[in-house]
Amino acid sequence: MDVFGAIADPVRRELLRRLVRGPARVVDLAADQSISRPAISKHLRILSDAGLVRAEVSGRERHYAIAVEPLAAVDELLRALTIDRALISTHHLDALDTEVHRAARDRRRGASTSNSAHSKEDIA
């Protein structure tokens, strides 16, 4: 399975989040999830096949650790998709600032024009 398929499952993403904090055994990972140890093992096998985790044998136990190198493909794709496409750029913020100042200026002008019009009416 490729990296994208491996991280498509929310349980596998949660396992990766947990492994970022450090290596763990299947029993430790299963304690954090609402699924069985065999199900966790299956998810770990998929992550391992994608190169996202590696197992180190220590006696009778396997300690799983994250391998972030394969995530470079995901990072590369995300960068390509978001380059120059920030939701709110500084250009947008500058334009908003200009409009706020323009509206405030127009309100001040409108208030002063309104006040001088009332003054002329009061005189007449």
Side-chain angles (χ1 to χ4, degrees):
M1 179 174 287
D2 73 339
V3 173
F4 294 96
I7 64 172
D9 185 276
V11 172
R12 291 192 286 271
R13 289 192 306 268
E14 191 58 39
L15 291 172
L16 291 172
R17 284 186 193 101
R18 167 53 185 86
L19 291 173
V20 165
R21 297 192 318 249
R25 302 171 300 159
V26 173
V27 68
D28 300 327
L29 295 168
D32 296 338
Q33 300 292 324
S34 61
I35 60 176
S36 67
R37 278 188 273 166
I40 294 292
S41 293
K42 182 180 176 184
H43 285 294
L44 288 169
R45 193 172 324 113
I46 292 169
L47 290 170
S48 180
D49 289 347
L52 291 167
V53 298
R54 55 182 165 265
E56 295 180 20
V57 178
S58 177
R60 292 178 28 163
E61 297 178 333
R62 286 183 177 205
H63 294 260
Y64 290 88
I66 192 167
V68 295
E69 298 83 15
L71 291 172
V74 176
D75 186 51
E76 183 179 314
L77 175 65
L78 292 174
R79 287 179 191 274
L81 295 174
T82 59
I83 194 164
D84 294 330
R85 288 179 175 75
L87 293 176
I88 300 176
S89 69
T90 54
H91 170 73
H92 293 111
L93 294 175
D94 290 343
L96 178 61
D97 185 54
T98 300
E99 287 303 315
V100 167
H101 283 90
R102 185 175 295 143
R105 182 193 66 216
D106 291 348
R107 260 187 265 128
R108 283 192 307 271
R109 284 184 180 167
S112 66
T113 304
S114 171
N115 286 340
S116 55
H118 286 296
S119 298
K120 290 177 185 175
E121 290 173 3
D122 292 339
I123 296 174

